Amino acid sequence: MTYIDKLSQDNPDLSGELLQLKTLSERKLWHELSIIVEQLFDNPLFLNNELIPFYTNFLKQFENKIDPIKFALFANTISKQYSNVDERVLFLEQCLITLKQNLEGRMLVRFEISRNKLMTNDFEFVKELIETTQNILNEKGTSFFKTIVLSSFYNVCCLYYKNEAVNSSLEFYQSGMLFLTFTDLEKMTKEEKIQLAFELGIAALSDPKIFSFGELVKHDILIHMKDTEHEWLYQLLIAYHSGDMERYQQVIEKYSSTIEKNSIFTDKSKLLKDKLITSCLIELIFKRPSNDRNVKFEEISKALNISIEEVEFVSMKAMSLGLLKGKIDQVNKILRVTWVITRVLTNEQIKIMKNRLGLWTEKVNEKILLLENETPDLFK
């Protein structure tokens, strides 16, 4: 009796798929075989401590016949059933030999090795792998690689940068947004989506170099914080992105007891205030037509709830961050803006743009009518 026959006998609920494996291996239909293996690996009944003997007694015979990407993913899943990190890494390193001719397969396995290395605080190994991989991506371009490879890479980056020993919120945020670019949310659990949304939100607020929240606010992942214990962060990010001081105050009042428990609001209170004021300034400028962006200090002071004396400093900071361009008229106390950073628009901001376009169209039509009336001979 072969290993597959016995496995089928011991697992009658899986006998159909297992017997298919036997037939496909005999007929050397490796692609079809790998599809059945995928189905088995997704089946909780099969995952119960069966993967290591399945690999040793069956899959190992054909590991160099099946698609390298699929084999790498199989290897990563199998490795998780070893009881300790050293055994997992040893198994994965042996699988690298099989994948020596396939770059993407090797990368996927190395990423899994890195996840294990992080468990033992081997940060140098992971740092070196991230740098090496980034060089490869720069050389070949992301379009060269399958999304599963890019998703796995940015997952490793997220795990590395959010570790307390590294603690780089900017790199974590950037890696997290890239991870979302190449990852199907449907393949993440509800808990994973909520946790990632929360971590990205905290990183966006706490990093001194992040002043744009549009990319995160407009991403589908953020909605998963609604109706959870993290709803306060969801609402707060919306307020920051829209530069809405009134909405911010409402969120703070409604969720004050929850917000006060988060250390970010005690450790980085000044930074958070500066970010809110800057966002409100950008929104104030953005709402105005491009030919009417000379704003009096008094108006800015009132909208941002700051003193007139603070307006110049806030304006200079926004310019230094590359969020707007223009000149400060200190004599007449006017901020003259020539350019404001492109924003990821909310539905409300899109309505403003629509209304503005409508007004512009009306003005153009008025000019056309005026021209026709003043120079009728030209239109005969």
Side-chain angles (χ1 to χ4, degrees), residues 31 63 121 123 145 156 195 204 258:
H31 174 68
E63 60 183 16
N121 298 327
F123 301 114
F145 298 94
V156 170
Q195 184 63 24
T258 305

Side-chain angles (χ1 to χ4, degrees), residues 60-204:
K60 188 175 175 60
Q61 304 169 57
F62 324 109
E63 60 183 16
N64 61 345
K65 305 289 186 182
I66 59 180
D67 178 78
I69 295 286
K70 288 187 177 180
F71 173 68
L73 295 173
F74 294 156
N76 290 348
T77 302
I78 294 165
S79 71
K80 292 179 173 65
Q81 292 203 334
Y82 284 94
S83 59
N84 64 66
V85 171
D86 290 340
E87 288 180 329
R88 291 178 209 150
V89 171
L90 179 61
F91 170 77
L92 291 167
E93 287 176 341
Q94 290 171 344
C95 291
L96 284 174
I97 299 172
T98 303
L99 295 163
K100 61 184 178 182
Q101 300 298 325
N102 186 272
L103 174 61
E104 290 181 295
R106 293 199 311 275
M107 290 171 73
L108 282 169
V109 171
R110 285 192 176 121
F111 297 153
E112 186 63 26
I113 291 174
S114 293
R115 294 185 189 95
N116 283 280
K117 292 287 187 178
L118 284 172
M119 295 179 189
T120 59
N121 298 327
D122 191 348
F123 301 114
E124 281 303 313
F125 177 93
V126 182
K127 180 183 178 183
E128 184 177 341
L129 177 129
I130 289 174
E131 290 173 351
T132 302
T133 304
Q134 191 59 63
N135 289 336
I136 294 172
L137 294 182
N138 293 341
E139 178 186 344
K140 294 183 177 293
T142 54
S143 60
F144 178 85
F145 298 94
K146 292 181 174 62
T147 55
I148 184 65
V149 177
L150 298 168
S151 173
S152 185
F153 170 60
Y154 290 116
N155 169 257
V156 170
C157 292
C158 286
L159 294 173
Y160 173 74
Y161 289 122
K162 79 174 183 180
N163 191 286
E164 289 183 3
V166 181
N167 195 24
S168 178
S169 53
L170 176 61
E171 281 82 358
F172 168 74
Y173 180 79
Q174 293 171 335
S175 298
M177 296 312 300
L178 286 167
F179 170 75
L180 291 174
T181 300
F182 300 107
T183 304
D184 182 359
L185 288 184
E186 294 301 317
K187 294 184 178 180
M188 297 175 66
T189 66
K190 180 180 178 180
E191 292 71 22
E192 287 173 337
K193 286 182 273 196
I194 292 172
Q195 184 63 24
L196 180 57
F198 176 77
E199 291 173 344
L200 287 172
I202 291 296

Side-chain angles (χ1 to χ4, degrees), residues 363-375:
K363 288 183 179 180
V364 171
N365 289 333
E366 288 173 3
K367 295 292 184 183
I368 291 173
L369 288 172
L370 178 63
L371 186 61
E372 288 177 345
N373 293 331
E374 292 295 324
T375 57

Side-chain angles (χ1 to χ4, degrees), residues 322-334:
L323 302 176
L324 58 83
K325 296 177 183 178
K327 293 182 179 179
I328 298 173
D329 186 340
Q330 294 174 316
V331 176
N332 297 304
K333 295 191 178 301
I334 295 175

